Amino acid sequence: MLKEELDKSVSVYSPPLYQEMMFFGWVKAPPCHNAKSTVACIAWHCTTLADNRAAFVNCAAGCGLMSKSQGCISCLAFSGLNEIFRCFDYTKREAINAPGIVLLSKKKVKSVKTVFFEPDVKQILIRAYIEAEIEDVGTVFCSHLTSNDNADYYEPNLKDKYASSKDQNLADSRKLTEAARLKNKPLIVGDLNTSPEVTAFNVTADFVGSYNHFLSEGFSSPYVTMVGKCTFCVPNPLVKGWMYNNILDHVMIRNHTVLSAKRIYDQNIPYKDYPMSDHYGVEVEIAN
């Protein structure tokens, strides 16, 4: 849809899509084509645990969720019980972008690839980054890192590796900076789910060890230093069940000249009482 709606001068990149197939691989299928009994088990046994994410995931895993395809697992995780029908929609039979990341560029993209932080490991919320060499910009790493959802750590296949979501976020932050270490002009962009404290604007620190790690590797977040207002904000009507203002969205730079920084998409959609997203956008203008 992005490719159809945007001007042809804009390149659109996403990770490889997960597409289920049926009829011996001849026909596309919806993400959870082969998961009806598992979903029925989850609906019957696990719905009463919906308010406790760790307990719910543990119950769903007991119903065989982690034996299904990553596309199905991700579809169910993104959709929730209220939108679950989309995972079985035989009229659309859609593929799914499991890590939920997309990179758009008006500049020429010389090379691009997707790297999964935990390759070949099925996850409830699988994480990855897009690495692209972009003309006149540098090397861009676009990602969405593990979030703080105030739940006990619940990734069934990573519990032996990480004790918490904070540990996983820091590990992924380190992998990003390791990949960027040999690049001359790297940018790490996206919802990094790490926030510094900015007392002037009532911004609370969250997973701050990861933010400090980026700083220790020579990166800076111009939006934080030049603007400092929250991007994930309690007053936003789309933010539910969260009590703190955070700056979770960043354009992290190294070896770039910064011209400006600002918060965008922080106004309500025309004729609506809510903005485009529960996260406001960040725009940073740079010069090489």
Side-chain angles (χ1 to χ4, degrees):
M1 184 169 62
L2 284 170
K3 290 180 179 179
E4 292 173 357
E5 293 293 330
L6 290 169
D7 186 273
K8 298 300 182 183
S9 64
V10 180
S11 301
V12 182
Y13 296 92
S14 72
L17 301 182
Y18 288 85
Q19 177 68 67
E20 287 293 309
M21 304 297 292
M22 56 186 178
F23 298 129
F24 306 102
W26 287 93
V27 179
K28 292 179 180 178
C32 293
H33 169 61
N34 292 316
K36 297 180 182 66
S37 60
T38 296
V39 172
C41 174
I42 294 171
W44 183 258
H45 294 286
C46 307
T47 51
T48 58
L49 303 172
D51 292 335
N52 184 328
R53 183 168 297 189
F56 181 83
V57 170
N58 187 59
C59 179
C63 285
L65 176 63
M66 304 312 292
S67 67
K68 302 306 172 184
S69 70
Q70 181 63 62
C72 178
I73 295 169
S74 296
C75 186
L76 295 175
F78 292 153
S79 303
L81 295 173
N82 294 330
E83 302 287 341
I84 202 172
F85 67 89
R86 66 187 292 195
C87 303
F88 300 91
D89 192 341
Y90 284 88
T91 63
K92 294 183 178 179
R93 303 193 295 275
E94 292 177 307
I96 187 167
N97 177 347
I101 51 176
V102 176
L103 177 67
L104 311 179
S105 179
K106 288 186 176 180
K107 295 284 189 176
K108 181 180 179 181
V109 178
K110 299 177 181 179
S111 64
V112 63
K113 65 179 179 179
T114 298
V115 179
F116 287 86
F117 289 116
E118 304 291 340
D120 303 317
V121 179
K122 290 182 181 179
Q123 295 160 66
I124 301 297
L125 295 172
I126 195 167
R127 307 289 178 173
Y129 64 85
I130 298 172
E131 178 181 337
E133 296 286 345
I134 301 180
E135 191 173 73
D136 299 328
V137 177
T139 308
V140 176
F141 298 85
C142 168
S143 193
H144 179 201
L145 301 188
T146 303
S147 63
N148 182 1
D149 49 22
N150 281 336
D152 293 334
Y153 191 64
Y154 54 78
E155 283 290 353
N157 294 331
L158 293 176
K159 285 184 177 180
D160 291 339
K161 189 170 185 178
Y162 302 117
S164 65
S165 295
K166 180 171 70 173
D167 289 348
Q168 187 176 353
N169 182 288
L170 178 57
D172 292 346
S173 299
R174 287 171 171 163
K175 291 172 186 176
L176 281 173
T177 57
E178 179 67 25
R181 189 163 290 165
L182 299 179
K183 305 299 181 180
N184 184 38
K185 291 182 177 291
L187 300 93
I188 298 176
V189 305
D191 176 6
L192 303 184
N193 276 310
T194 173
S195 175
E197 180 181 36
V198 184
T199 55
F201 293 106
N202 194 31
V203 171
T204 302
D206 193 36
F207 288 2
V208 71
S210 297
Y211 183 81
N212 290 336
H213 170 73
F214 286 116
L215 299 185
S216 72
E217 289 288 323
F219 284 88
S220 65
S221 180
Y223 176 83
V224 170
T225 56
M226 298 175 70
V227 182
K229 297 180 180 180
C230 59
T231 63
F232 191 70
C233 310
V234 174
N236 185 329
L238 298 178
V239 173
K240 307 293 185 183
W242 195 249
M243 299 182 293
Y244 306 101
N245 296 314
N246 303 124
I247 302 175
L248 302 180
D249 308 274
H250 301 275
V251 177
M252 294 279 187
I253 67 166
R254 193 177 71 209
N255 298 335
H256 289 276
T257 300
V258 181
L259 302 178
S260 65
K262 63 182 179 179
R263 190 172 74 178
I264 57 176
Y265 305 129
D266 53 0
Q267 301 298 312
N268 287 348
I269 300 170
Y271 310 111
K272 302 289 185 181
D273 58 358
Y274 51 85
M276 294 177 67
S277 171
D278 58 345
H279 288 245
Y280 298 140
V282 167
E283 179 181 296
V284 174
E285 185 178 2
I286 61 171
N288 283 340

